Amino acid sequence: MNEETIIRTAVVTGGSRGIGRAICVALAKQGCNVAVNYCHGEAAAAETVTLCKAAGVDALAVQADVSTAEGVKTLFEKAVNAFGRVDILVNNAGITRDGLLLRLSEEDFDKVLDTNLKSTFLCCKEAARRMVRQRYGRIINLSSVVALRGNAGQTNYAASKAGLIGLTKSLARELAGRNITVNAIAPGLIETDMTAALPEAVRTEMAKGIPAGRAGQPEDVANAAAFFAAEQSSYLTGQVLCVDGGMAM
Ligand code: NAP
C-alpha cells in the first residue's frame, strides 16, 4: 500500500459506544477514514463521528443491523459510496442475552449467534471481496476471554465468541496469500454499558480473578485493534490477543 496517496478506510461495526467507539477513535488517530456503524444509538454514533473528525479524518455514521444480510449490504454500500474502499474491518458489534442453559430460550441463543457470529461472517464476505481485489486488508474480530474459559450463564455468548476464533483462524489461512490479515482480540472485563449491566457483586467477584486487580477500559482494547491495523503488523495473522489484565493465562 502506498501510504502517501491512499487514505485507508475502516468499517467498525457497533462503533456508537463502548469498545467500538474507542476503536473508531484509535483508527482515526492512525489517519483512517471511519464508517461508524450503529444499530439503535444515532446520537451516540454522531458523537463518535465528531470524535473521529477531531482527529483530522473523515467519518460517517451508518445505521444498519449487522445481524442481517440486508443490513450488512447497506453498511458496505454506504461506506464504499462515501470513501471508495474498505481497508480495515472491525467486527465489534455484540450483545449478551445471559441465562443458565436450562432456562435459555432458543430465541436468545439465535439472537446472540446472529449478532455476534453471523454478522462477522456476513461482514467478512463483503469486505474480503473488496480486499482481495485491492490485495490489501486488515480484519479484526472481537472475541472474548469467555471463548477460552467458558462462563456459566453464557453458553450462547461463549459459543458465539469461540466460533469467532475458529472463523478468524480459518479466514486467516484463506486470505494470507492476498496480503490480508485476520486476527481476533479477546477482551476480559472492560468497563462499558455491557458490563455495567452486570450486578455489582458479579463484577467485584470477576475483578478478584484478574491479576491486574481491576477492569480494563475501552481504550485498552482499542490499542490492540490499532496494533493489528497498523501497517507494521503485516506479518501477523490468525492470532488471538487477550486484553484482560492477565485473566485468561
Ligand atoms: P456495548 O457497550 O454493549 O456496545 C455494543 C455495540 O454494539 C453498540 O455500539 C451497539 O450499537 C452495537 N450493536 C449491537 N447489536 C448490533 C447490531 N445488530 N447491529 C449493529 N450494531 C449493533 O458493548 P462493548 O462492551 O463495547 O463490547 C464491544 C464488543 O466487545 C462486543 O462484541 C463484546 O462482546 C466484546 N467484549 C466486550 C467485553 C466487555 O467486558 N465489555 C469483554 C469481552 C468482549 P447500538 O447502541 O447503536 O445499538
Side-chain angles (χ1 to χ4, degrees), residues 13-20 37-42 64-67 91-95 115-116 142-145 157 161 186-195:
T13 70
S16 46
R17 55 199 168 93
I19 292 170
N37 161 248
Y38 69 99
C39 191
H40 302 105
E42 187 179 357
D65 177 352
V66 293
S67 69
N91 289 299
N92 165 82
I95 59 165
T115 307
N116 299 1
L142 268 291
S143 179
S144 165
V145 291
Y157 182 77
K161 295 297 180 181
L189 180 66
I190 308 297
E191 282 179 1
T192 66
D193 295 343
M194 184 178 272
T195 47

Side-chain angles (χ1 to χ4, degrees), residues 149-185:
R149 295 162 39 119
N151 198 22
Q154 289 197 311
T155 49
N156 51 356
Y157 182 77
S160 73
K161 295 297 180 181
L164 281 173
I165 293 178
L167 187 156
T168 297
K169 293 186 178 189
S170 302
L171 191 58
R173 286 183 184 276
E174 288 187 21
L175 298 178
R178 308 296 183 103
N179 196 29
I180 300 165
T181 67
V182 189
N183 291 290
I185 300 172

